[in-house]
Amino acid sequence: MSSLRISLKISILRVRMVTFGLGLSFCKKVMKSFGGSIACSSEFGEWTEFELKFPDCNSTEVIAIKQELMKAKTVLFIGEQLGMLGRQIKNVAFQSDLNLTIKSLAQASELEEHQYEYSLIIIDGDLDANGWSLMSRLESKLGFTEGRIAFVHDEDSTRNLYFQRYVDIELYGMQKFVDDPANAIDYLLFEEFDVEQPAQPYNEISIKRTVMIVDDNHSLRSITSIMLEKQGLHVIQAENGQLALQTLEKEDVDLILMDIEMPIMDGLTATRHIRQSDASYASVPIVGYTGDKSEETVVKINEYGMNDYLVKPTPKDELIDKVATWIY
């Protein structure tokens, strides 16, 4: 007999099978324990028919069972615990004795793959560009968990182009969650996720977007340029910080990939000039493009005004993902 998926919402199910001692009395006790019933009729040597009657999912018995099950569930909320979503989830966890752990997106992105072993992971999807950058790092690790993953977001807002690349994530409306957080968590813990979800807007990479690669290594500039141009981007190259500043005076640039160590003018100095400028390009996103990921270098990257960083050599997917994060 082929396998059957049974939902608590099913009221009556008839199953025909050849039986070899199913332990009917045990099955009857199990069904009765949550307000259901089981009956059996058969024709000797031919077939056996079972009638399983399940209680309504909102019945007292089912609610009691869920409450007991929730005590054994572990939930990781990734977001700010003092934010609206965090406060609501904490309140539901307190009322249901749910085992809740809260991590900021920055903290969660630093966890190892084995540290995501939870029944449910809920992610606050209200993200800025830096948040999407961290989300990209986080998502690449979530493919190792067997837990359910939900992304609570504004359904009208855009998402990163490379979101949901590594793992299936349930998209759950922010307003729907806010209106009834207890029901939302009940759904995310116990119900079958909606496989066919409505199409949502994504950030687009288009030929109208311009990226400037600043690096003294000609080969690296060329390879990086080819990868980005294949995504439909317009790419400008500069071999040092001084040429980058001169280019910014003439070209509209949407993103800069900036090497740290270069002759004539290094990337940190060029970044400081850009940030201190009164020109329109003063706020252009700058991603440090470096082969040095030491703590000292990362601190300098932040101090000088870079928004993010990539470590060379960078795999194609990671490069494109990072660029998609910072281009609007």
Side-chain angles (χ1 to χ4, degrees):
M1 174 185 170
S2 61
S3 61
L4 294 173
R5 180 174 295 171
I6 302 174
S7 168
L8 288 175
K9 292 182 179 179
I10 295 176
S11 58
I12 297 177
L13 173 69
R14 292 181 182 272
V15 182
R16 227 171 240 240
M17 67 180 78
V18 177
T19 178
F20 299 93
L22 293 175
L24 184 57
S25 60
F26 173 75
C27 295
K28 187 174 183 179
K29 289 179 181 179
V30 172
M31 289 293 290
K32 188 176 181 180
S33 69
F34 59 86
S37 65
I38 182 170
C40 173
S41 59
S42 65
E43 184 174 320
F44 183 75
E46 294 292 334
W47 53 267
T48 299
E49 183 178 77
F50 296 94
E51 183 178 81
L52 283 69
K53 293 185 178 180
F54 292 87
D56 185 271
C57 61
N58 294 317
S59 67
T60 303
E61 294 86 353
V62 172
I63 291 174
I65 291 171
K66 282 185 176 181
Q67 288 174 342
E68 286 301 312
L69 288 173
M70 286 183 75
K71 295 177 182 179
K73 299 291 185 180
T74 55
V75 176
L76 171 64
F77 172 63
I78 300 177
E80 299 302 322
Q81 62 175 320
L82 297 180
M84 177 179 60
L85 210 57
R87 294 197 305 271
Q88 288 189 320
I89 291 174
K90 285 172 64 178
N91 185 49
V92 174
F94 175 77
Q95 293 177 354
S96 58
D97 289 330
L98 193 62
N99 187 348
L100 176 67
T101 300
I102 297 179
K103 299 280 187 184
S104 69
L105 185 55
Q107 291 171 332
S109 65
E110 296 300 326
L111 296 178
E112 300 296 329
E113 285 84 352
H114 67 273
Q115 293 178 286
Y116 293 101
E117 292 308 313
Y118 292 85
S119 307
L120 172 65
I121 299 173
I122 301 175
I123 304 168
D124 187 343
D126 184 14
L127 304 177
D128 56 13
N130 185 59
W132 277 113
S133 178
L134 292 171
M135 183 64 203
S136 174
R137 192 183 312 169
L138 170 68
E139 190 186 350
S140 65
K141 301 178 181 181
L142 291 178
F144 294 89
T145 181
E146 296 182 359
R148 293 170 154 230
I149 307 170
F151 188 80
V152 182
H153 70 131
D154 179 351
E155 295 176 321
D156 294 325
S157 64
T158 56
R159 300 196 305 269
N160 185 285
L161 184 66
Y162 288 86
F163 178 60
Q164 293 176 302
R165 191 168 37 145
Y166 300 105
V167 64
D168 291 330
I169 298 177
E170 171 79 359
L171 301 176
Y172 199 92
M174 179 71 74
Q175 191 59 53
K176 186 178 178 182
F177 194 105
V178 169
D179 290 343
D180 194 344
N183 184 65
I185 291 179
D186 180 276
Y187 166 80
L188 294 173
L189 278 172
F190 297 110
E191 297 294 329
E192 183 178 359
F193 281 175
D194 182 10
V195 177
E196 294 185 3
Q197 301 184 59
Q200 300 290 337
Y202 283 83
N203 286 333
E204 294 182 355
I205 292 182
S206 72
I207 57 174
K208 296 180 181 179
R209 303 305 186 186
T210 300
V211 176
M212 178 161 63
I213 303 170
V214 187
D215 199 301
D216 61 317
N217 187 316
H218 179 270
S219 297
L220 188 142
R221 289 201 317 271
S222 298
I223 293 171
T224 305
S225 178
I226 290 171
M227 288 191 289
L228 295 181
E229 285 173 346
K230 285 184 177 180
Q231 299 298 312
L233 290 163
H234 175 51
V235 180
I236 300 173
Q237 299 184 33
E239 61 187 54
N240 59 63
Q242 183 173 305
L243 289 175
L245 292 175
Q246 294 172 5
T247 301
L248 286 172
E249 294 292 342
K250 300 178 290 184
E251 301 278 354
D252 291 328
V253 174
D254 298 292
L255 176 68
I256 301 174
L257 298 180
M258 182 83 76
D259 187 19
I260 303 299
E261 297 182 1
M262 293 178 289
I264 303 178
M265 182 182 290
D266 63 80
L268 294 174
T269 302
T271 299
R272 175 165 287 174
H273 280 292
I274 292 169
R275 294 293 180 243
Q276 292 177 348
S277 170
D278 294 328
S280 59
Y281 56 73
S283 60
V284 62
I286 303 175
V287 175
Y289 207 23
T290 176
D292 179 12
K293 61 177 179 179
S294 66
E295 184 177 350
E296 181 182 359
T297 299
V298 173
V299 169
K300 286 183 178 180
I301 283 172
N302 293 324
E303 287 180 348
Y304 278 75
M306 290 184 173
N307 303 88
D308 205 341
Y309 69 94
L310 276 168
V311 178
K312 297 183 288 187
T314 307
K316 175 185 175 182
D317 285 352
E318 186 176 339
L319 170 68
I320 295 170
D321 190 61
K322 187 73 72 174
V323 170
T325 295
W326 288 103
I327 286 185
Y328 298 94

